[in-house]
Short mmCIF file of all heavy atoms in Angstrom, two decimals:
data_model
loop_
_atom_site.label_atom_id
_atom_site.label_comp_id
_atom_site.label_asym_id
_atom_site.label_seq_id
_atom_site.Cartn_x
_atom_site.Cartn_y
_atom_site.Cartn_z
N TYR L 290 -96.34 160.20 79.12
CA TYR L 290 -96.04 161.51 78.55
C TYR L 290 -95.25 161.35 77.26
O TYR L 290 -94.22 160.69 77.24
CB TYR L 290 -95.26 162.35 79.56
CG TYR L 290 -94.77 163.65 79.02
CD1 TYR L 290 -95.65 164.72 78.87
CD2 TYR L 290 -93.46 163.84 78.66
CE1 TYR L 290 -95.21 165.92 78.37
CE2 TYR L 290 -93.00 165.03 78.16
CZ TYR L 290 -93.88 166.08 78.02
OH TYR L 290 -93.45 167.27 77.53
N ILE L 291 -95.75 161.92 76.20
CA ILE L 291 -95.04 161.89 74.91
C ILE L 291 -94.77 163.32 74.49
O ILE L 291 -95.68 164.14 74.40
CB ILE L 291 -95.89 161.19 73.83
CG1 ILE L 291 -96.15 159.74 74.23
CG2 ILE L 291 -95.20 161.25 72.49
CD1 ILE L 291 -97.07 159.03 73.28
N ASN L 292 -93.51 163.62 74.25
CA ASN L 292 -93.20 164.99 73.84
C ASN L 292 -93.40 165.18 72.34
O ASN L 292 -93.58 164.22 71.59
CB ASN L 292 -91.78 165.39 74.29
CG ASN L 292 -90.71 164.56 73.62
OD1 ASN L 292 -90.87 164.10 72.51
ND2 ASN L 292 -89.60 164.38 74.31
N LYS L 293 -93.34 166.42 71.88
CA LYS L 293 -93.59 166.73 70.48
C LYS L 293 -92.58 166.04 69.56
O LYS L 293 -92.94 165.57 68.49
CB LYS L 293 -93.53 168.24 70.25
CG LYS L 293 -94.77 168.96 70.59
CD LYS L 293 -94.65 170.42 70.18
CE LYS L 293 -95.95 171.13 70.39
NZ LYS L 293 -95.89 172.51 69.91
N ARG L 294 -91.36 165.98 69.97
CA ARG L 294 -90.31 165.37 69.13
C ARG L 294 -90.60 163.89 68.90
O ARG L 294 -90.47 163.38 67.79
CB ARG L 294 -88.95 165.58 69.79
CG ARG L 294 -87.80 165.17 68.94
CD ARG L 294 -86.50 165.52 69.66
NE ARG L 294 -85.37 165.03 68.94
CZ ARG L 294 -84.60 165.77 68.18
NH1 ARG L 294 -84.84 167.05 68.04
NH2 ARG L 294 -83.58 165.24 67.55
N ALA L 295 -91.01 163.19 69.93
CA ALA L 295 -91.33 161.77 69.80
C ALA L 295 -92.56 161.58 68.90
O ALA L 295 -92.59 160.65 68.09
CB ALA L 295 -91.59 161.16 71.17
N GLN L 296 -93.54 162.45 69.01
CA GLN L 296 -94.72 162.36 68.16
C GLN L 296 -94.34 162.58 66.69
O GLN L 296 -94.82 161.89 65.81
CB GLN L 296 -95.76 163.38 68.58
CG GLN L 296 -96.46 163.03 69.86
CD GLN L 296 -97.45 164.12 70.27
OE1 GLN L 296 -97.31 165.28 69.93
NE2 GLN L 296 -98.45 163.72 71.03
N LEU L 297 -93.48 163.55 66.44
CA LEU L 297 -93.04 163.84 65.08
C LEU L 297 -92.30 162.64 64.49
O LEU L 297 -92.55 162.23 63.38
CB LEU L 297 -92.16 165.08 65.05
CG LEU L 297 -91.61 165.48 63.69
CD1 LEU L 297 -92.75 165.79 62.72
CD2 LEU L 297 -90.71 166.69 63.82
N ARG L 298 -91.38 162.04 65.27
CA ARG L 298 -90.64 160.87 64.79
C ARG L 298 -91.59 159.72 64.49
O ARG L 298 -91.41 159.00 63.52
CB ARG L 298 -89.60 160.45 65.82
CG ARG L 298 -88.27 161.11 65.56
CD ARG L 298 -87.20 160.49 66.40
NE ARG L 298 -86.92 161.46 67.45
CZ ARG L 298 -86.65 161.20 68.69
NH1 ARG L 298 -86.56 159.98 69.11
NH2 ARG L 298 -86.43 162.16 69.55
N SER L 299 -92.59 159.53 65.31
CA SER L 299 -93.55 158.46 65.10
C SER L 299 -94.29 158.66 63.77
O SER L 299 -94.48 157.72 63.01
CB SER L 299 -94.55 158.42 66.25
OG SER L 299 -95.51 157.44 66.01
N ARG L 300 -94.69 159.88 63.48
CA ARG L 300 -95.36 160.17 62.21
C ARG L 300 -94.43 159.95 61.03
O ARG L 300 -94.84 159.43 60.00
CB ARG L 300 -95.88 161.61 62.20
CG ARG L 300 -97.23 161.72 62.83
CD ARG L 300 -97.82 163.09 62.64
NE ARG L 300 -98.10 163.59 63.97
CZ ARG L 300 -97.74 164.76 64.46
NH1 ARG L 300 -97.10 165.60 63.72
NH2 ARG L 300 -98.03 165.10 65.68
N GLU L 301 -93.16 160.34 61.16
CA GLU L 301 -92.19 160.18 60.08
C GLU L 301 -91.96 158.70 59.75
O GLU L 301 -91.78 158.34 58.60
CB GLU L 301 -90.87 160.84 60.44
CG GLU L 301 -90.94 162.35 60.44
CD GLU L 301 -89.67 163.00 60.97
OE1 GLU L 301 -88.76 162.29 61.40
OE2 GLU L 301 -89.61 164.24 60.94
N ILE L 302 -91.97 157.85 60.75
CA ILE L 302 -91.74 156.42 60.54
C ILE L 302 -92.88 155.81 59.74
O ILE L 302 -92.68 154.88 58.97
CB ILE L 302 -91.58 155.70 61.90
CG1 ILE L 302 -90.26 156.11 62.52
CG2 ILE L 302 -91.66 154.20 61.73
CD1 ILE L 302 -90.08 155.64 63.94
N HIS L 303 -94.09 156.34 59.87
CA HIS L 303 -95.25 155.76 59.21
C HIS L 303 -95.61 156.43 57.89
O HIS L 303 -96.76 156.38 57.46
CB HIS L 303 -96.45 155.77 60.18
CG HIS L 303 -96.23 154.88 61.35
ND1 HIS L 303 -95.76 155.35 62.55
CD2 HIS L 303 -96.36 153.55 61.49
CE1 HIS L 303 -95.64 154.34 63.38
NE2 HIS L 303 -95.99 153.24 62.77
N ILE L 304 -94.63 157.00 57.22
CA ILE L 304 -94.86 157.64 55.92
C ILE L 304 -94.57 156.63 54.81
O ILE L 304 -93.58 155.91 54.86
CB ILE L 304 -93.96 158.88 55.77
CG1 ILE L 304 -94.39 159.96 56.75
CG2 ILE L 304 -93.98 159.40 54.34
CD1 ILE L 304 -93.47 161.16 56.81
N ASP L 305 -95.42 156.60 53.82
CA ASP L 305 -95.23 155.75 52.64
C ASP L 305 -95.49 156.62 51.42
O ASP L 305 -96.58 156.62 50.84
CB ASP L 305 -96.19 154.56 52.70
CG ASP L 305 -96.03 153.60 51.53
OD1 ASP L 305 -95.04 153.73 50.78
OD2 ASP L 305 -96.89 152.71 51.38
N GLN L 306 -94.47 157.37 50.99
CA GLN L 306 -94.62 158.35 49.91
C GLN L 306 -95.15 157.75 48.62
O GLN L 306 -95.97 158.36 47.94
CB GLN L 306 -93.27 159.00 49.60
CG GLN L 306 -92.72 159.88 50.67
CD GLN L 306 -91.39 160.44 50.25
OE1 GLN L 306 -91.33 161.24 49.32
NE2 GLN L 306 -90.32 160.03 50.91
N ASP L 307 -94.68 156.57 48.26
CA ASP L 307 -95.05 155.99 46.98
C ASP L 307 -96.26 155.06 47.07
O ASP L 307 -96.71 154.50 46.07
CB ASP L 307 -93.88 155.25 46.35
CG ASP L 307 -93.30 154.17 47.24
OD1 ASP L 307 -93.89 153.86 48.29
OD2 ASP L 307 -92.24 153.63 46.89
N ARG L 308 -96.78 154.89 48.27
CA ARG L 308 -97.98 154.07 48.52
C ARG L 308 -97.84 152.65 47.97
O ARG L 308 -98.75 152.12 47.36
CB ARG L 308 -99.22 154.74 47.96
CG ARG L 308 -99.49 156.06 48.63
CD ARG L 308 -100.72 156.69 48.09
NE ARG L 308 -100.88 157.99 48.72
CZ ARG L 308 -101.91 158.77 48.55
NH1 ARG L 308 -102.89 158.39 47.77
NH2 ARG L 308 -101.98 159.92 49.15
N ASP L 309 -96.68 152.06 48.23
CA ASP L 309 -96.45 150.70 47.76
C ASP L 309 -96.67 149.66 48.85
O ASP L 309 -96.54 148.46 48.61
CB ASP L 309 -95.05 150.55 47.18
CG ASP L 309 -93.94 150.78 48.21
OD1 ASP L 309 -94.24 151.13 49.37
OD2 ASP L 309 -92.77 150.61 47.85
N GLY L 310 -97.00 150.12 50.05
CA GLY L 310 -97.27 149.19 51.14
C GLY L 310 -96.12 148.97 52.10
O GLY L 310 -96.23 148.19 53.03
N ILE L 311 -95.00 149.67 51.87
CA ILE L 311 -93.85 149.58 52.78
C ILE L 311 -93.52 150.99 53.25
O ILE L 311 -93.36 151.90 52.42
CB ILE L 311 -92.61 148.99 52.08
CG1 ILE L 311 -92.91 147.62 51.48
CG2 ILE L 311 -91.45 148.88 53.07
CD1 ILE L 311 -91.77 147.04 50.66
N TYR L 312 -93.42 151.18 54.55
CA TYR L 312 -93.05 152.50 55.06
C TYR L 312 -91.66 152.89 54.56
O TYR L 312 -90.77 152.05 54.44
CB TYR L 312 -93.04 152.52 56.59
CG TYR L 312 -94.39 152.31 57.22
CD1 TYR L 312 -94.55 151.42 58.26
CD2 TYR L 312 -95.50 153.01 56.79
CE1 TYR L 312 -95.79 151.21 58.86
CE2 TYR L 312 -96.75 152.82 57.37
CZ TYR L 312 -96.88 151.92 58.41
OH TYR L 312 -98.10 151.73 58.98
N ASP L 313 -91.48 154.19 54.28
CA ASP L 313 -90.22 154.70 53.73
C ASP L 313 -89.01 154.30 54.57
O ASP L 313 -87.97 153.94 54.02
CB ASP L 313 -90.26 156.23 53.61
CG ASP L 313 -91.27 156.70 52.58
OD1 ASP L 313 -91.82 155.86 51.84
OD2 ASP L 313 -91.49 157.92 52.51
N ALA L 314 -89.14 154.37 55.88
CA ALA L 314 -88.00 154.03 56.75
C ALA L 314 -87.55 152.59 56.50
O ALA L 314 -86.35 152.31 56.45
CB ALA L 314 -88.38 154.21 58.21
N PHE L 315 -88.49 151.67 56.32
CA PHE L 315 -88.13 150.28 56.06
C PHE L 315 -87.56 150.10 54.66
O PHE L 315 -86.69 149.27 54.44
CB PHE L 315 -89.33 149.36 56.26
CG PHE L 315 -89.71 149.20 57.70
CD1 PHE L 315 -90.85 149.81 58.19
CD2 PHE L 315 -88.92 148.47 58.56
CE1 PHE L 315 -91.20 149.69 59.52
CE2 PHE L 315 -89.27 148.34 59.90
CZ PHE L 315 -90.41 148.95 60.38
N GLU L 316 -88.07 150.89 53.70
CA GLU L 316 -87.53 150.80 52.34
C GLU L 316 -86.05 151.17 52.35
O GLU L 316 -85.25 150.51 51.69
CB GLU L 316 -88.30 151.73 51.39
CG GLU L 316 -89.69 151.23 51.10
CD GLU L 316 -90.20 151.67 49.76
OE1 GLU L 316 -89.62 151.26 48.74
OE2 GLU L 316 -91.20 152.40 49.73
N VAL L 317 -85.71 152.19 53.08
CA VAL L 317 -84.33 152.66 53.11
C VAL L 317 -83.44 151.78 53.99
O VAL L 317 -82.37 151.35 53.57
CB VAL L 317 -84.27 154.13 53.61
CG1 VAL L 317 -82.85 154.57 53.84
CG2 VAL L 317 -84.97 155.05 52.62
N LEU L 318 -83.90 151.47 55.18
CA LEU L 318 -83.05 150.78 56.16
C LEU L 318 -83.02 149.27 56.03
O LEU L 318 -82.01 148.65 56.34
CB LEU L 318 -83.49 151.16 57.58
CG LEU L 318 -83.40 152.64 57.92
CD1 LEU L 318 -84.05 152.91 59.27
CD2 LEU L 318 -81.95 153.10 57.91
N LYS L 319 -84.11 148.65 55.60
CA LYS L 319 -84.16 147.20 55.57
C LYS L 319 -84.12 146.60 54.17
O LYS L 319 -83.39 145.66 53.92
CB LYS L 319 -85.42 146.71 56.29
CG LYS L 319 -85.50 145.21 56.38
CD LYS L 319 -86.59 144.74 57.27
CE LYS L 319 -86.55 143.22 57.31
NZ LYS L 319 -87.37 142.66 58.32
N PHE L 320 -84.93 147.14 53.25
CA PHE L 320 -85.07 146.51 51.94
C PHE L 320 -84.20 147.13 50.85
O PHE L 320 -84.10 146.58 49.76
CB PHE L 320 -86.54 146.55 51.51
CG PHE L 320 -87.44 145.82 52.45
CD1 PHE L 320 -88.37 146.50 53.22
CD2 PHE L 320 -87.36 144.44 52.60
CE1 PHE L 320 -89.21 145.83 54.10
CE2 PHE L 320 -88.19 143.76 53.48
CZ PHE L 320 -89.11 144.46 54.23
N ASN L 321 -83.59 148.28 51.12
CA ASN L 321 -82.76 148.99 50.13
C ASN L 321 -83.52 149.26 48.84
O ASN L 321 -82.99 149.07 47.75
CB ASN L 321 -81.47 148.22 49.85
CG ASN L 321 -80.57 148.15 51.04
OD1 ASN L 321 -80.46 149.10 51.80
ND2 ASN L 321 -79.93 147.01 51.23
N THR L 322 -84.78 149.67 48.96
CA THR L 322 -85.58 150.02 47.81
C THR L 322 -85.79 151.53 47.79
O THR L 322 -85.47 152.22 48.74
CB THR L 322 -86.94 149.30 47.85
OG1 THR L 322 -87.59 149.58 49.09
CG2 THR L 322 -86.77 147.80 47.69
N ASP L 323 -86.32 152.04 46.70
CA ASP L 323 -86.52 153.48 46.52
C ASP L 323 -87.87 153.89 47.11
O ASP L 323 -88.92 153.47 46.60
CB ASP L 323 -86.47 153.81 45.04
CG ASP L 323 -86.46 155.29 44.76
OD1 ASP L 323 -86.91 156.08 45.63
OD2 ASP L 323 -86.01 155.69 43.68
N PRO L 324 -87.88 154.70 48.16
CA PRO L 324 -89.14 155.10 48.79
C PRO L 324 -89.99 156.04 47.93
O PRO L 324 -91.12 156.35 48.28
CB PRO L 324 -88.69 155.80 50.08
CG PRO L 324 -87.31 156.25 49.82
CD PRO L 324 -86.73 155.27 48.84
N LYS L 325 -89.46 156.46 46.78
CA LYS L 325 -90.23 157.33 45.90
C LYS L 325 -90.73 156.60 44.66
O LYS L 325 -91.36 157.20 43.81
CB LYS L 325 -89.37 158.53 45.49
CG LYS L 325 -89.05 159.42 46.68
CD LYS L 325 -88.21 160.60 46.30
CE LYS L 325 -87.89 161.40 47.55
NZ LYS L 325 -86.93 162.44 47.29
N LYS L 326 -90.42 155.30 44.55
CA LYS L 326 -90.89 154.50 43.42
C LYS L 326 -91.72 153.34 43.94
O LYS L 326 -91.26 152.58 44.77
CB LYS L 326 -89.71 153.91 42.64
CG LYS L 326 -88.98 154.86 41.77
CD LYS L 326 -87.92 154.08 41.00
CE LYS L 326 -87.24 154.92 39.97
NZ LYS L 326 -86.23 154.13 39.26
N ARG L 327 -92.92 153.16 43.40
CA ARG L 327 -93.78 152.04 43.81
C ARG L 327 -93.15 150.70 43.44
O ARG L 327 -93.36 149.70 44.10
CB ARG L 327 -95.12 152.11 43.11
CG ARG L 327 -96.07 153.07 43.71
CD ARG L 327 -97.38 152.93 43.02
NE ARG L 327 -98.37 152.98 44.08
CZ ARG L 327 -99.64 152.94 43.91
NH1 ARG L 327 -100.12 152.78 42.70
NH2 ARG L 327 -100.45 153.01 44.92
N ASP L 328 -92.42 150.69 42.34
CA ASP L 328 -91.86 149.46 41.80
C ASP L 328 -90.38 149.71 41.52
O ASP L 328 -90.00 150.10 40.42
CB ASP L 328 -92.62 149.09 40.53
CG ASP L 328 -92.10 147.84 39.87
OD1 ASP L 328 -91.36 147.09 40.51
OD2 ASP L 328 -92.44 147.61 38.70
N THR L 329 -89.54 149.50 42.52
CA THR L 329 -88.12 149.82 42.42
C THR L 329 -87.45 149.16 41.23
O THR L 329 -86.66 149.79 40.53
CB THR L 329 -87.40 149.43 43.73
OG1 THR L 329 -87.94 150.20 44.80
CG2 THR L 329 -85.91 149.69 43.65
N ASP L 330 -87.74 147.88 40.97
CA ASP L 330 -87.05 147.17 39.89
C ASP L 330 -87.76 147.26 38.54
O ASP L 330 -87.25 146.77 37.54
CB ASP L 330 -86.81 145.71 40.26
CG ASP L 330 -88.09 144.95 40.58
OD1 ASP L 330 -89.18 145.45 40.28
OD2 ASP L 330 -87.99 143.85 41.13
N GLY L 331 -88.93 147.87 38.48
CA GLY L 331 -89.62 148.09 37.22
C GLY L 331 -90.23 146.85 36.58
O GLY L 331 -90.44 146.81 35.37
N ASP L 332 -90.54 145.83 37.38
CA ASP L 332 -91.09 144.59 36.83
C ASP L 332 -92.61 144.53 36.83
O ASP L 332 -93.20 143.53 36.45
CB ASP L 332 -90.52 143.37 37.54
CG ASP L 332 -90.89 143.29 39.01
OD1 ASP L 332 -91.61 144.18 39.51
OD2 ASP L 332 -90.46 142.34 39.67
N GLY L 333 -93.26 145.61 37.24
CA GLY L 333 -94.71 145.66 37.23
C GLY L 333 -95.38 145.26 38.53
O GLY L 333 -96.59 145.29 38.65
N LEU L 334 -94.58 144.86 39.52
CA LEU L 334 -95.12 144.50 40.84
C LEU L 334 -94.67 145.54 41.86
O LEU L 334 -93.49 145.88 41.93
CB LEU L 334 -94.61 143.12 41.27
CG LEU L 334 -95.04 141.94 40.43
CD1 LEU L 334 -94.26 140.70 40.84
CD2 LEU L 334 -96.52 141.70 40.59
N ARG L 335 -95.63 146.05 42.66
CA ARG L 335 -95.27 147.01 43.70
C ARG L 335 -94.31 146.36 44.69
O ARG L 335 -94.37 145.14 44.94
CB ARG L 335 -96.50 147.48 44.46
CG ARG L 335 -97.44 148.35 43.68
CD ARG L 335 -98.63 148.69 44.49
NE ARG L 335 -99.02 147.48 45.21
CZ ARG L 335 -99.90 147.42 46.18
NH1 ARG L 335 -100.55 148.47 46.53
NH2 ARG L 335 -100.19 146.29 46.79
N ASP L 336 -93.43 147.15 45.27
CA ASP L 336 -92.47 146.64 46.24
C ASP L 336 -93.15 145.92 47.40
O ASP L 336 -92.71 144.86 47.83
CB ASP L 336 -91.58 147.77 46.78
CG ASP L 336 -90.70 148.37 45.71
OD1 ASP L 336 -90.49 147.73 44.66
OD2 ASP L 336 -90.19 149.49 45.92
N GLY L 337 -94.24 146.48 47.90
CA GLY L 337 -94.95 145.85 49.01
C GLY L 337 -95.51 144.49 48.65
O GLY L 337 -95.46 143.56 49.45
N ALA L 338 -96.03 144.35 47.44
CA ALA L 338 -96.56 143.05 47.00
C ALA L 338 -95.43 142.03 46.89
O ALA L 338 -95.59 140.87 47.27
CB ALA L 338 -97.27 143.19 45.65
N GLU L 339 -94.28 142.47 46.39
CA GLU L 339 -93.15 141.54 46.27
C GLU L 339 -92.69 141.05 47.64
O GLU L 339 -92.41 139.87 47.83
CB GLU L 339 -91.98 142.18 45.53
CG GLU L 339 -92.27 142.37 44.06
CD GLU L 339 -91.02 142.51 43.24
OE1 GLU L 339 -90.13 141.64 43.32
OE2 GLU L 339 -90.93 143.50 42.49
N VAL L 340 -92.61 141.94 48.59
CA VAL L 340 -92.13 141.58 49.93
C VAL L 340 -93.15 140.74 50.69
O VAL L 340 -92.82 139.68 51.21
CB VAL L 340 -91.76 142.84 50.75
CG1 VAL L 340 -91.50 142.50 52.20
CG2 VAL L 340 -90.55 143.53 50.14
N PHE L 341 -94.39 141.21 50.75
CA PHE L 341 -95.37 140.59 51.63
C PHE L 341 -96.23 139.50 51.00
O PHE L 341 -96.64 138.57 51.67
CB PHE L 341 -96.26 141.66 52.25
CG PHE L 341 -95.49 142.69 53.03
CD1 PHE L 341 -95.49 144.02 52.65
CD2 PHE L 341 -94.76 142.33 54.14
CE1 PHE L 341 -94.77 144.97 53.36
CE2 PHE L 341 -94.03 143.27 54.87
CZ PHE L 341 -94.04 144.59 54.47
N LYS L 342 -96.50 139.61 49.71
CA LYS L 342 -97.39 138.64 49.07
C LYS L 342 -96.61 137.54 48.33
O LYS L 342 -96.84 136.36 48.55
CB LYS L 342 -98.33 139.35 48.10
CG LYS L 342 -99.35 138.44 47.46
CD LYS L 342 -100.33 139.23 46.61
CE LYS L 342 -101.37 138.30 46.00
NZ LYS L 342 -102.31 139.07 45.17
N TYR L 343 -95.70 137.96 47.45
CA TYR L 343 -94.98 136.99 46.63
C TYR L 343 -93.66 136.53 47.23
O TYR L 343 -93.05 135.59 46.75
CB TYR L 343 -94.74 137.57 45.23
CG TYR L 343 -96.03 137.92 44.54
CD1 TYR L 343 -96.39 139.24 44.31
CD2 TYR L 343 -96.91 136.92 44.14
CE1 TYR L 343 -97.59 139.56 43.68
CE2 TYR L 343 -98.11 137.23 43.52
CZ TYR L 343 -98.44 138.56 43.29
OH TYR L 343 -99.63 138.86 42.69
N ARG L 344 -93.20 137.25 48.26
CA ARG L 344 -91.95 136.92 48.94
C ARG L 344 -90.76 136.86 47.98
O ARG L 344 -89.98 135.91 47.99
CB ARG L 344 -92.09 135.63 49.72
CG ARG L 344 -93.26 135.66 50.67
CD ARG L 344 -92.96 134.97 51.96
NE ARG L 344 -94.15 134.94 52.81
CZ ARG L 344 -94.37 135.79 53.80
NH1 ARG L 344 -93.50 136.73 54.05
NH2 ARG L 344 -95.45 135.70 54.54
N THR L 345 -90.68 137.87 47.13
CA THR L 345 -89.56 138.00 46.21
C THR L 345 -88.79 139.27 46.54
O THR L 345 -89.24 140.11 47.32
CB THR L 345 -90.06 138.07 44.75
OG1 THR L 345 -90.96 139.16 44.61
CG2 THR L 345 -90.75 136.77 44.34
N ASP L 346 -87.63 139.42 45.96
CA ASP L 346 -86.78 140.59 46.20
C ASP L 346 -87.26 141.74 45.32
O ASP L 346 -87.23 141.63 44.10
CB ASP L 346 -85.34 140.23 45.86
CG ASP L 346 -84.34 141.32 46.24
OD1 ASP L 346 -84.74 142.49 46.39
OD2 ASP L 346 -83.15 140.99 46.37
N PRO L 347 -87.68 142.86 45.93
CA PRO L 347 -88.19 143.99 45.14
C PRO L 347 -87.11 144.72 44.36
O PRO L 347 -87.41 145.64 43.60
CB PRO L 347 -88.83 144.90 46.19
CG PRO L 347 -88.16 144.55 47.46
CD PRO L 347 -87.78 143.10 47.36
N ARG L 348 -85.86 144.30 44.49
CA ARG L 348 -84.77 144.92 43.74
C ARG L 348 -84.39 144.10 42.49
O ARG L 348 -83.59 144.53 41.70
CB ARG L 348 -83.54 145.08 44.62
CG ARG L 348 -83.79 145.99 45.81
CD ARG L 348 -82.69 145.90 46.80
NE ARG L 348 -82.64 144.51 47.30
CZ ARG L 348 -81.63 143.98 47.96
NH1 ARG L 348 -80.57 144.68 48.20
NH2 ARG L 348 -81.67 142.74 48.38
N VAL L 349 -85.01 142.93 42.35
CA VAL L 349 -84.71 142.03 41.23
C VAL L 349 -85.97 141.81 40.40
O VAL L 349 -87.00 141.43 40.94
CB VAL L 349 -84.18 140.66 41.76
CG1 VAL L 349 -83.92 139.71 40.61
CG2 VAL L 349 -82.94 140.86 42.61
N LYS L 350 -85.86 142.05 39.08
CA LYS L 350 -87.02 141.87 38.21
C LYS L 350 -87.50 140.43 38.23
O LYS L 350 -86.71 139.50 38.15
CB LYS L 350 -86.69 142.28 36.79
CG LYS L 350 -86.59 143.76 36.61
CD LYS L 350 -86.45 144.12 35.16
CE LYS L 350 -86.40 145.64 35.06
NZ LYS L 350 -86.61 146.11 33.72
N ASN L 351 -88.81 140.27 38.35
CA ASN L 351 -89.45 138.96 38.33
C ASN L 351 -90.53 138.97 37.26
O ASN L 351 -91.04 140.01 36.89
CB ASN L 351 -90.14 138.68 39.68
CG ASN L 351 -89.17 138.71 40.83
OD1 ASN L 351 -88.35 137.84 40.96
ND2 ASN L 351 -89.27 139.74 41.65
N ARG L 352 -90.89 137.80 36.82
CA ARG L 352 -92.04 137.71 35.92
C ARG L 352 -93.30 137.88 36.76
O ARG L 352 -93.35 137.41 37.89
CB ARG L 352 -92.10 136.33 35.26
CG ARG L 352 -91.11 136.19 34.18
CD ARG L 352 -91.52 135.02 33.35
NE ARG L 352 -90.37 134.16 33.20
CZ ARG L 352 -90.41 132.98 32.66
NH1 ARG L 352 -91.55 132.48 32.27
NH2 ARG L 352 -89.34 132.27 32.52
N ARG L 353 -94.28 138.50 36.17
CA ARG L 353 -95.55 138.67 36.89
C ARG L 353 -96.22 137.33 37.05
O ARG L 353 -96.30 136.56 36.10
CB ARG L 353 -96.48 139.60 36.12
CG ARG L 353 -96.24 141.04 36.46
CD ARG L 353 -97.34 141.82 35.87
NE ARG L 353 -98.28 142.11 36.94
CZ ARG L 353 -98.90 143.25 37.04
NH1 ARG L 353 -98.73 144.16 36.13
NH2 ARG L 353 -99.73 143.46 38.01
N PRO L 354 -96.70 137.03 38.24
CA PRO L 354 -97.41 135.76 38.46
C PRO L 354 -98.75 135.72 37.77
O PRO L 354 -99.31 136.68 37.40
CB PRO L 354 -97.57 135.70 39.97
CG PRO L 354 -97.16 137.01 40.52
CD PRO L 354 -96.54 137.80 39.43
#
């Protein structure tokens, strides 16, 4: 049995407003990045690519590979 409140919370956790590949909740709670900006540090790489592909810090400008 899942109540409405639990369903709503589940949907909220899976929101990615900026479509950078990281859910907003993780941007705020784990990575300290801006959930409304695809590229928090402005280096031309999406936050999700920095975290999952290049394994760099999305808060620090990097040169594009």
Side-chain angles (χ1 to χ4, degrees):
Y290 173 77
I291 298 175
N292 64 30
K293 278 186 174 184
R294 188 176 174 102
Q296 287 177 334
L297 179 61
R298 269 191 254 143
S299 177
R300 275 189 237 129
E301 289 173 356
I302 289 171
H303 294 96
I304 292 173
D305 182 11
Q306 292 179 67
D307 56 9
R308 298 181 183 185
D309 64 356
I311 304 175
Y312 295 133
D313 293 352
F315 288 107
E316 289 208 64
V317 172
L318 299 172
K319 184 170 182 169
F320 300 112
N321 295 322
T322 55
D323 188 338
K325 294 180 182 172
K326 285 184 173 180
R327 280 186 138 178
D328 179 15
T329 297
D330 58 13
D332 64 1
L334 296 170
R335 291 177 319 170
D336 295 342
E339 289 201 54
V340 170
F341 301 117
K342 184 175 181 180
Y343 301 110
R344 306 218 184 262
T345 58
D346 187 339
R348 298 168 297 164
V349 178
K350 286 188 178 195
N351 301 289
R352 283 197 230 172
R353 273 191 100 141

